[in-house]
Amino acid sequence: MHPLERFLERLQLRSEISSRSRKALLSVEVSFETCPARWDIVRAGQKVESACLVATGLVGRAEQFADGTRRTAAYYVAGDMCDLHSVAISVAGWYIAALTDCEICKVPHKYLLTLFERFPDLSIAFWRDTIADASVSAKWVTLLSGAPARQRLAHLLCEYGVRVQAAGMGTLNSFPFPLTQAQIAEIIGTTSVHVSRVMKQLSLDGILHQRRGAIEVEDLASLERVAEFDRQYLLFRRDPSQLE
Amino acid sequence: MHPLERFLERLQLRSEISSRSRKALLSVEVSFETCPARWDIVRAGQKVESACLVATGLVGRAEQFADGTRRTAAYYVAGDMCDLHSVAISVAGWYIAALTDCEICKVPHKYLLTLFERFPDLSIAFWRDTIADASVSAKWVTLLSGAPARQRLAHLLCEYGVRVQAAGMGTLNSFPFPLTQAQIAEIIGTTSVHVSRVMKQLSLDGILHQRRGAIEVEDLASLERVAEFDRQYLLFRRDPSQLE
DNA sequence: CGCAGCTTTGAGAATCCTCAACTATTGTGG
DNA sequence: CCACAATAGTTGAGGATTCTCAAAGCTGCG
C-alpha cells in the first residue's frame, strides 16, 4: 500500500474526508528515504521543509539533554505523520530518529499548506490528528507524572497494540514489538535495567510474554487494568479492529 | 480587554492573521462564567459544546487516576484556549479545573468550525496554536521522563514566567504565581512535601524567592541553566516582551 | 480569636538508579 | 556451519531520590 493511502486511512479513522480531498491528498508529490535503525532523520536546529510520513518501521521524536541522554517524547508507527510540528516552525527543536530500520516518505510543507487553503475538510482532519497527537502526549504527561513503572510499561504496551493494529499489523493479543529495552526505557522514563525487571514481573504474573521481537498478551484484561487503559484518548472514531 | 482580543493577540504571537479574519473572530458570540478555585469547569465523560477561553485566572487540564489522585497535564493562563481538544471530540476525557478563582469565556464549537471553513488563515492559526500546545506537552513528557524535581520545578517557573509575560502580567524576574505547592506538585509530578524542599533549596541558592503569591527571580541565568530552558518550544514568533 | 488551609520539618520506607558482571541472542565473515 | 564480535537482556548490591505518614508552625479570614 502506498504510504499516502495508509496515511489517508489514518486520517479517516478520525475525520470524514470528501472524495475530492482524498484525491488531492493522494496526488501530492513525495520523495522516499530509507534509514537504518538509530539514524537521525532530522536533527535539532536543522531547517525542515518537509513533513515525515512513516511508511514502514518505527520513528521517535526525542529531545537531548545537556548531559547527552535522550528522552523520547513520542513514537510513530506506519501511517503516522511524525513531525507536523515542522509545518508550524521550520527550525526543528527535536530529533526525529529511526527506532528501527524504516522507510520515510517526505511530504513538502508547501503542498500541505496549499491543500489546507483549498480543502477545509483536510485542514480540519490534519488539525484533528494534531489534537490526537497532543492528546497522546498529555496522557503520557499524566502517566510519567504519577504512575509507577509497571503501569507505564503496561500502558505503553496497550497503546502500542491499538496503534499497531490500526496500522494493520497484528492484533491486541499478539503484535510485533521491535523496540529494545533501552528504547522502551527512553519512552516510559526509566532505565533499561528497570524495564527488564518490570517486564519479567509482568511475565511471571502471566500477563504477557516477549518473544523474538513480538509481544504475546495472555491476559489482556489484566494488562489493561494494570495500565488503567482507556483508548478514548487516541480519538479513533471507531474501533480500529473493525477495519480490515 | 475583552478575552477574545487577548486570545487574538495570543494567536498573533504565532501566526499572521488578516484583518477580515480578525473581525470575524472578534464578533463571535460568547458567554461568560465565573468559577471559584477548585471548581470543575468540565468533568470527564461530560458532553462539551463550547471551548473554554481563559479570561482571568488559571485553569488546569487534569486526569484522575483510579485511586482518586489527580495529575495536571497542562495549565492555561489568561488568553489561552484550554480545551481545543473538545472541538475534535465532544465527550471530554479530562477534567478542566479552575486552579484559582477565574473567569471563563465559552466559545461554541459551531462558531469555531464555521470560522475554519470561511477563513483558512484562522484555521491555520488555530492549528498552529494546537501544535504549540502539543509542543509544551511534549516538552513536559521529556522533563517528567528524565529530569530531577529541581530541574522540573525550575522549568515550570521559567515557562510560567514567559507565558504570563506574554499574557501581559509581570516580567520574567517578577510575576504573580498563585499556585499552592500541592498544585505545583500535580504539574511537575511530585508531592507537595518535595516541592517545599526543592523550593527552599532554590531559595537558599539565591536563585529566587516566593512571596505572597508571587515569584521574585534573583538569578534568571542560573534558573534557566538549572532548567535547561530554551523558549523555542513555546513557538512564539518573537519575544513576548517586545509587545506592549 | 479560632479555624482552615497551606507550608515546613522529621523519620523511615519504597521506588528506582548506577555500576558492574554475567548470560543470551543476533549478525558477520570465513 | 562455526567462531567471533556486537548488541541486548539479566541479575545483584548499594545508594540516591523521592514518597508516605505524622506533627508542628504559619497565614489569612470570618
Side-chain angles (χ1 to χ4, degrees):
Chain A
M1 197 193 310
H2 192 281
L4 281 174
E5 287 176 42
R6 206 187 282 272
F7 176 61
L8 178 58
E9 271 200 1
R10 191 66 34 82
L11 285 179
Q12 289 182 305
L13 279 176
R14 301 195 171 104
S15 309
E16 208 74 59
I17 298 177
S18 73
S19 68
R20 279 185 63 235
S21 300
R22 285 203 291 271
K23 270 184 203 142
L25 176 61
L26 290 176
S27 63
V28 163
E29 283 176 44
V30 298
S31 59
F32 289 87
E33 244 174 62
T34 305
C35 308
R38 277 163 229 246
W39 183 263
D40 283 341
I41 299 164
V42 173
R43 249 163 273 147
Q46 189 177 329
K47 181 119 182 165
V48 183
E49 277 161 0
S50 302
C52 293
L53 172 56
V54 183
T56 62
L58 220 53
V59 170
R61 198 149 54 82
E63 187 177 2
Q64 190 155 352
F65 278 72
D67 67 1
T69 62
R70 283 194 183 183
R71 293 280 126 186
T72 301
Y75 64 91
Y76 298 93
V77 304
D80 287 336
M81 188 82 88
C82 72
D83 58 350
L84 279 174
H85 288 214
S86 66
V87 187
I89 184 158
S90 61
V91 176
W94 299 88
Y95 290 83
I96 305 286
L99 297 174
T100 66
D101 295 344
C102 58
E103 286 174 304
I104 299 300
C105 176
K106 297 219 151 192
V107 188
H109 292 162
K110 60 177 179 186
Y111 290 133
L112 291 178
L113 291 169
T114 310
L115 286 178
F116 296 160
E117 304 247 328
R118 292 179 48 211
F119 304 96
D121 61 337
L122 270 187
S123 180
I124 289 181
F126 268 75
W127 181 49
R128 195 171 263 132
D129 263 42
T130 304
I131 290 177
D133 189 52
S135 180
V136 172
S137 291
K139 170 62 80 171
W140 279 99
V141 167
T142 60
L143 283 167
L144 290 162
S145 156
R150 179 179 166 91
Q151 182 177 349
R152 298 201 301 268
L153 178 55
H155 203 281
L156 173 64
L157 295 172
C158 288
E159 176 187 298
Y160 189 89
V162 172
R163 290 177 62 180
V164 148
Q165 185 187 46
M169 301 177 290
T171 68
L172 292 187
N173 289 289
S174 174
F175 48 83
F177 192 77
L179 293 178
T180 69
Q181 297 193 342
Q183 290 172 324
I184 298 172
E186 285 194 1
I187 294 173
I188 69 171
T190 178
T191 59
S192 63
V193 171
H194 203 54
V195 169
S196 173
R197 295 195 221 269
V198 175
M199 190 73 91
K200 182 180 178 184
Q201 193 56 54
L202 287 176
S203 188
L204 287 175
D205 293 344
I207 294 179
L208 54 81
H209 287 291
Q210 191 176 16
R211 274 208 258 316
R212 277 168 284 123
I215 294 284
E216 307 288 332
V217 178
E218 261 140 49
D219 185 347
L220 186 58
S222 291
L223 185 63
E224 295 190 339
R225 190 155 14 83
V226 170
E228 294 186 31
F229 184 72
D230 175 351
R231 72 171 59 182
Q232 198 205 348
Y233 74 98
L234 290 169
L235 307 192
F236 290 131
R237 285 195 294 174
R238 47 189 170 176
D239 191 330
S241 68
Q242 305 293 314
L243 304 172
E244 54 60 86
Chain B
M1 197 193 310
H2 192 282
L4 281 175
E5 287 177 43
R6 206 187 283 270
F7 176 60
L8 179 58
E9 270 200 2
R10 189 65 34 83
L11 285 180
Q12 289 183 306
L13 280 175
R14 300 194 172 106
S15 309
E16 209 75 59
I17 297 177
S18 71
S19 68
R20 279 185 62 234
S21 300
R22 284 202 294 269
K23 268 184 207 142
L25 176 61
L26 290 176
S27 63
V28 163
E29 281 176 45
V30 298
S31 60
F32 288 87
E33 243 175 60
T34 304
C35 310
R38 276 164 231 244
W39 183 261
D40 284 341
I41 300 164
V42 173
R43 249 164 273 146
Q46 188 177 329
K47 181 120 182 161
V48 182
E49 278 162 0
S50 302
C52 293
L53 172 57
V54 182
T56 62
L58 218 52
V59 170
R61 199 151 54 84
E63 187 177 1
Q64 191 155 352
F65 279 77
D67 66 1
T69 62
R70 282 194 183 185
R71 294 279 128 186
T72 301
Y75 63 91
Y76 298 93
V77 305
D80 287 335
M81 189 82 89
C82 74
D83 60 349
L84 279 175
H85 288 212
S86 65
V87 187
I89 184 158
S90 62
V91 176
W94 299 90
Y95 289 83
I96 306 285
L99 296 174
T100 66
D101 293 346
C102 57
E103 286 172 304
I104 300 299
C105 175
K106 298 220 154 193
V107 188
H109 293 161
K110 61 178 180 185
Y111 291 133
L112 291 178
L113 290 169
T114 310
L115 286 178
F116 297 159
E117 304 247 330
R118 291 180 47 211
F119 303 97
D121 61 337
L122 270 187
S123 181
I124 290 181
F126 268 75
W127 181 47
R128 195 170 264 132
D129 263 41
T130 304
I131 290 179
D133 190 51
S135 179
V136 172
S137 291
K139 170 63 80 171
W140 279 99
V141 167
T142 62
L143 283 168
L144 291 162
S145 155
R150 180 180 166 90
Q151 181 177 349
R152 299 201 300 268
L153 178 55
H155 204 281
L156 173 64
L157 295 171
C158 288
E159 178 187 297
Y160 189 88
V162 172
R163 290 176 64 181
V164 147
Q165 185 189 46
M169 302 177 290
T171 67
L172 293 187
N173 289 289
S174 175
F175 48 83
F177 192 77
L179 294 178
T180 69
Q181 298 193 341
Q183 289 172 324
I184 298 172
E186 284 194 1
I187 294 173
I188 69 171
T190 179
T191 59
S192 64
V193 172
H194 203 54
V195 169
S196 173
R197 294 196 222 269
V198 174
M199 189 72 93
K200 182 180 178 186
Q201 192 56 52
L202 286 176
S203 189
L204 288 176
D205 294 344
I207 293 179
L208 56 79
H209 287 292
Q210 190 175 17
R211 276 208 255 316
R212 276 167 284 125
I215 294 284
E216 307 287 333
V217 179
E218 262 140 48
D219 186 347
L220 185 58
S222 289
L223 184 63
E224 295 190 339
R225 191 158 11 85
V226 170
E228 294 186 30
F229 184 72
D230 175 350
R231 72 170 61 181
Q232 199 206 340
Y233 73 98
L234 290 169
L235 306 192
F236 289 133
R237 285 196 296 175
R238 49 192 170 175
D239 191 330
S241 68
Q242 306 291 314
L243 304 173
E244 44 51 275

